Amino acid sequence: MDLLGNLLLGLSVSLSPDNLLLCFGGALIGTLIGVLPGLGPTATVAMLLPLTFHLPPVGALIMLAGIFYGSQYGGSATAILVNLPGESSSVVTCLDGHAMARQGRAGVALATAALASLFAGIVTTILIAVAGPPLAGVALAFGPAEYVSLMLLGLIGAVTLAHGSVVKAIAMILLGLLLSMVGTDVNSGDTRFTFGLPQLYDGIDFVPLAMGLFGLAEIIASLEQTGGAGQTTAPIASLWPKREDVRQAWPATVRGTVMGALLGILPGGGATLGSFAAYSLEKKLARRPERFGQGAIEGVAAPEAANNAASQACFIPMLSLGIPPNAIMALMIGAMTIHGITPGPQIMVKQPELFWGMIASMLVGNVILVILNLPMIGLWVRLLRVPYGYLFPAILVFCCIGTYTLNNSAFNVLLMALFGVLGYVLRKLDCEPAPLMLGFVLGPLMEENLGRALLLSGGDPTVFATRPISGSLLAVAALLLLLMVMPAVRRRRDEAFKDE
Amino acid sequence: MPSLPLLNLPPSSSVAAPPRDPSPAPCGTAQGAPRNAAGGKRTPLRIPGRAPQDLAAGLLIASLGLIALWMGRDWPTGTLAYVQSGFFPRMIGLLMVLAGAVVTGRSLLTHGAALPAWGWRPLLGVTAAVLAFAGAVETLGLVPAVLILVGLGNLAGQPLRPVPLALLGGTLAAGCVALFVWGLGLPLRVWPLWVLP
């Protein structure tokens, strides 16, 4: 069977000693940084990108993927132990996870989170292996007009399914597109938005932008709230769930996985929507819904499974279409570009060992994560108690050196400081930086394909609507936007994300 | 713990709350969720307008769009059949002005969140520290740059006492040299020229 052969090829890549070590290291460091309060997966991946510059491409992507799910698990640990969600996707875990911790069942909550994530991870990895290739086959038939419409749909999906104001999110995408135009235009050789600075002729590097917007801005915001103190954590007694716990948790895990995987494939859906939806489904199905919020184990298992399933399902559009559905996948695409890989449907055919190696490494990584984390929970707890005043200078040093060594340019460090301020200002104005990142990554692709589609059609803008695939993609995008304008839908959406 | 208005609630429960609730209850009532905690601690800034936060955001977006349009005023747009380098910037700039105008207009018509207080100290401390690092890393070398970064960054939060601070700076500088210069073999200057040419 082809799928089996592909997975075996992938396993042979990901189980090679080097890659196994990188996967392990990524998961470990990702968890280490992800545990720190206020640093969610996006910030963690952005800050740790430089670690992977000097690795071979396959190893770098395997390590980044490890960092990603490590940081997600670390974020859940912080949510459970100190009630501080690192990213919106772990907000729901706080509710019942921290309630369990206050009852002295923090260990059980952490183990449940780890095991539910493991189950969801394995199921979704198989889903990626099954669904990726056919999707890439469809994408190979795409022309420039289809790509423009697909990107538009992706961007619109990202803003409508995210939280906060839709218009502001669209504005952030536009700002990202503007920033992506800085530098020399590839077609004409004209320089745009360079302010006459030769350092900007090659455009803005992706790393200082991501590190400033996510890393520095997060550090500033965390300092503002904690002032540099450590956290008091709930004590941990027993680690292992009782038989009763397992009986309650496993159906919730299965339902959470299905919910998360379905929502994760949607552009922009991602982990947040998945975990919220899984939690409310559990609450609806429960015989005694009043237990939720008081430490119900289903309230930890379902959102954690959904969270992990959704964040892995995000890899499907990223790997097969080359379109990032959220900011983390935009970071992954940025990392691929740094290594000279063009993401898109052709990777699967041209570099099968990269594609399947990465997918198989997700299986390996999820197992490593559980093996790594169950014995090390005590260590993470101790790390949380270290005052932030000691931790953040270390993070700052790492950000600065990482950005500097990208191409030994002090100008990039200046840019990072600038984007840190921008990220902080945007946060204060309730504008999400994640859509900006999506716009920045998609900008060059979008401009190129837009120009090409118009050139091929002889300047006829209706080409986007009249070609069947492109037209239906646009119709879906328009439908999504229309739904957002309807008051009833908007109210429900506001409610769904209210607790952030 | 506040009750969670999630997807499965009947719509009737939401009538009482306005759609854009300015201060949603943060999930962690004890410590507060990261984003919303800041507004509650200090008194927010007062500026005229019904939704000051959205007003500021709208004006910022619109002015960025205008700057983009102004900078690209002479760039050739070409024709639809042959798009040139000025086309895309102008399109995006126009859309940004439009989006900014919508956000601004809505902020004048509806009630919304006030401007949150600014954390000047962490903002200035962290930014100054990073800028100083950028200035020092090529002229003075890695070790002084890291020490300056740690020293200035320390002012961004609750400052550490001198001895722990010196220990932290020394450890980080040594760790960086070990990892990046000896470990990864990156071509970085470690000391200023006049110490070790």
Side-chain angles (χ1 to χ4, degrees):
Chain A
M1 197 177 132
D2 207 24
L3 176 68
L4 203 64
N6 285 332
L7 274 180
L8 282 179
L9 167 72
L11 279 175
S12 71
V13 175
S14 63
L15 286 178
S16 78
D18 282 2
N19 289 336
L20 200 59
L21 195 68
L22 287 173
C23 189
F24 182 82
L28 180 69
I29 304 171
T31 317
L32 193 80
I33 304 286
V35 158
L36 302 177
L39 292 178
T42 319
T44 310
V45 173
M47 289 192 308
L48 294 179
L49 266 180
L51 272 186
T52 62
F53 290 162
H54 306 279
L55 297 171
V58 183
L61 287 177
I62 286 179
M63 184 166 185
L64 272 179
I67 290 173
F68 169 43
Y69 27 81
S71 64
Q72 200 148 40
Y73 181 75
S76 311
T78 321
I80 290 170
L81 291 171
V82 290
N83 205 14
L84 275 180
E87 193 143 281
S88 47
S89 58
S90 50
V91 166
V92 199
T93 310
C94 278
L95 299 174
D96 280 278
H98 192 64
M100 282 179 78
R102 276 196 315 251
Q103 296 161 6
R105 308 210 307 144
V108 178
L110 285 167
T112 308
L115 294 172
S117 300
L118 172 69
F119 175 80
I122 291 175
V123 171
T124 321
T125 306
I126 295 170
L127 180 72
I128 299 176
V130 174
L135 204 57
V138 174
L140 280 173
F142 277 19
E146 280 77 18
Y147 260 107
V148 173
S149 304
L150 181 66
M151 282 184 260
L152 210 62
L153 173 62
L155 290 174
I156 299 282
V159 296
T160 48
L161 295 173
H163 54 97
S165 152
V166 175
V167 191
K168 279 193 204 170
I170 292 178
M172 287 303 103
I173 290 178
L174 294 172
L175 184 55
L177 291 173
L178 267 190
L179 288 173
S180 78
M181 282 182 249
V182 173
T184 311
D185 177 36
V186 270
N187 293 321
S188 60
D190 298 339
T191 56
R192 298 185 293 190
F193 301 120
T194 57
F195 301 91
L197 294 170
Q199 292 97 327
L200 281 177
Y201 285 178
D202 282 340
I204 292 176
D205 259 316
F206 163 82
V207 173
L209 179 69
M211 286 235 220
L213 278 184
F214 295 103
L216 287 192
E218 295 273 2
I219 294 176
I220 298 171
S222 301
L223 274 175
E224 188 182 348
Q225 277 148 37
T226 64
Q231 303 290 336
T232 43
T233 56
I236 291 185
S238 141
L239 202 60
W240 290 105
K242 290 199 246 355
R243 180 171 301 206
E244 172 70 10
D245 293 331
V246 176
R247 201 182 50 76
Q248 284 179 331
W250 78 261
T253 306
V254 175
R255 285 190 292 263
T257 304
V258 174
M259 188 72 120
L262 286 180
L263 290 172
I265 304 179
L266 296 178
T272 309
L273 194 65
S275 61
F276 272 88
Y279 188 84
S280 54
L281 178 73
E282 284 312 309
K283 209 169 163 183
K284 206 175 225 172
L285 290 176
R287 216 167 294 150
R288 294 188 8 247
E290 67 277 6
R291 285 193 310 118
F292 281 80
Q294 313 287 327
I297 197 164
E298 303 98 301
V300 178
E304 278 301 303
N307 187 347
N308 208 34
S311 51
Q312 290 205 15
C314 292
F315 277 89
I316 297 178
M318 194 275 274
L319 284 173
S320 52
L321 306 177
I323 306 286
N326 57 32
I328 295 187
M329 290 304 119
L331 292 176
M332 295 295 272
I333 285 196
M336 285 175 144
T337 330
I338 289 174
H339 285 285
I341 305 164
T342 320
Q346 66 283 0
I347 322 182
M348 217 169 291
V349 188
K350 284 195 192 143
Q351 290 166 298
E353 67 290 340
L354 181 105
F355 180 82
W356 293 103
M358 197 163 153
I359 287 179
S361 87
M362 293 179 194
L363 280 179
V364 180
N366 275 296
V367 176
I368 287 183
L369 212 55
V370 170
I371 299 174
L372 182 75
N373 279 312
L374 292 183
M376 287 178 90
I377 285 170
L379 184 71
W380 307 139
V381 174
R382 233 165 297 155
L383 185 69
L384 271 172
R385 295 192 186 131
V386 173
Y388 199 55
Y390 287 92
L391 289 174
F392 87 87
I395 304 175
L396 268 185
V397 167
F398 197 82
C399 286
C400 285
I401 298 188
T403 307
Y404 176 72
T405 52
L406 175 63
N407 36 23
N408 278 0
S409 139
F411 181 77
N412 272 345
V413 183
L414 283 178
L415 270 185
M416 178 176 75
L418 196 75
F419 287 126
V421 175
L422 178 71
Y424 181 75
V425 171
L426 292 180
R427 209 163 293 234
K428 283 287 170 189
L429 298 180
D430 200 25
C431 295
E432 288 279 308
L436 194 162
M437 206 67 226
L438 279 185
F440 182 79
V441 169
L442 287 181
L445 259 178
M446 208 160 174
E447 181 174 11
E448 192 186 327
N449 281 302
L450 184 73
R452 207 181 284 163
L454 286 172
L455 184 69
L456 288 177
S457 71
D460 176 16
T462 59
V463 63
F464 298 107
T466 49
R467 290 182 61 124
I469 299 180
S470 165
S472 26
L473 289 171
L474 277 187
V476 176
L479 194 72
L480 271 179
L481 263 186
L482 208 68
L483 279 176
M484 286 318 305
V485 186
M486 281 162 54
V489 179
R490 200 160 72 195
R491 204 178 314 125
R492 281 176 75 95
R493 173 173 169 276
D494 282 339
E495 270 167 31
F497 290 110
K498 202 175 202 170
D499 220 64
E500 290 164 40
Chain B
M1 193 55 69
S3 72
L4 240 193
L6 283 166
L7 287 166
N8 58 351
L9 281 186
S12 63
S13 71
S14 69
V15 177
R20 303 228 70 83
D21 192 342
S23 58
C27 126
T29 37
Q31 278 105 345
R35 197 158 326 166
N36 294 320
K41 268 191 254 164
R42 283 163 258 169
T43 46
L45 292 174
R46 291 258 165 244
I47 60 163
R50 285 167 149 190
Q53 189 186 47
D54 273 4
L55 180 65
L59 292 178
L60 176 73
I61 294 163
S63 48
L64 286 173
L66 284 177
I67 292 172
L69 285 179
W70 183 80
M71 285 180 76
R73 66 198 179 281
D74 293 332
W75 300 344
T77 47
T79 61
L80 270 183
Y82 186 65
V83 167
Q84 282 182 327
S85 60
F87 179 81
F88 206 51
R90 198 156 301 179
M91 187 173 105
I92 302 300
L94 276 175
L95 286 172
M96 270 192 90
V97 175
L98 193 71
V102 171
V103 176
T104 311
R106 223 174 33 184
S107 77
L108 298 174
L109 295 175
T110 52
H111 283 283
L115 267 186
W118 292 82
W120 287 112
R121 190 189 172 101
L123 178 64
L124 293 178
V126 168
T127 309
V130 174
L131 289 178
F133 178 89
V137 70
E138 280 176 351
T139 50
L140 294 178
L142 185 62
V143 170
V146 168
L147 293 179
I148 293 172
L149 176 65
V150 173
L152 273 176
N154 183 47
L155 300 176
Q158 232 162 22
L160 302 172
R161 269 164 295 141
V163 176
L165 179 65
L167 277 177
L168 179 68
T171 316
L172 285 175
C176 284
V177 173
L179 178 63
F180 291 99
V181 181
W182 300 337
L184 293 173
L186 300 180
L188 295 167
R189 172 181 296 164
V190 179
W191 295 105
L193 274 179
W194 36 267
V195 173
L196 231 166

